[in-house]
Amino acid sequence: METFRIAPGAPAAGKTLSELRLREQIVVTILAIQRHGETLINPWGGTMLHAGDMLITLGKPMQFAEAAPFFRG
């Protein structure tokens, strides 16, 4: 498991989980999103990601390295 915070201006900001296709392309699964003190567990593909969101993900170290640029500004 790994956590990522979406930085302002990151490629993931303003996109849905389906648009990112992390599970299909990199095999990283987003288990939950922490936003404004709330935790969205098992978010669906239409969930919009925002700068500041903390993502709790499942994958392997190499996959996390591939996913990281999506969350950096």
Side-chain angles (χ1 to χ4, degrees):
M1 291 178 69
E2 183 67 70
T3 59
F4 295 98
R5 183 170 303 278
I6 300 177
K15 294 203 171 138
T16 65
L17 293 176
S18 293
E19 290 173 320
L20 283 182
R21 300 179 42 97
L22 290 177
R23 183 181 287 175
E24 296 85 5
Q25 293 182 9
I26 303 176
V27 195
V28 168
T29 301
I30 297 175
L31 301 174
I33 301 170
Q34 292 181 332
R35 178 186 297 156
H36 305 297
E38 294 185 31
T39 301
L40 307 169
I41 298 172
N42 196 26
W44 66 290
T47 302
M48 182 73 66
L49 299 174
H50 304 281
D53 285 354
M54 177 70 74
L55 308 179
I56 301 166
T57 64
L58 181 65
K60 296 182 180 179
M62 286 180 52
Q63 295 161 333
F64 295 140
E66 289 182 54
F70 286 95
F71 310 119
R72 294 187 195 131

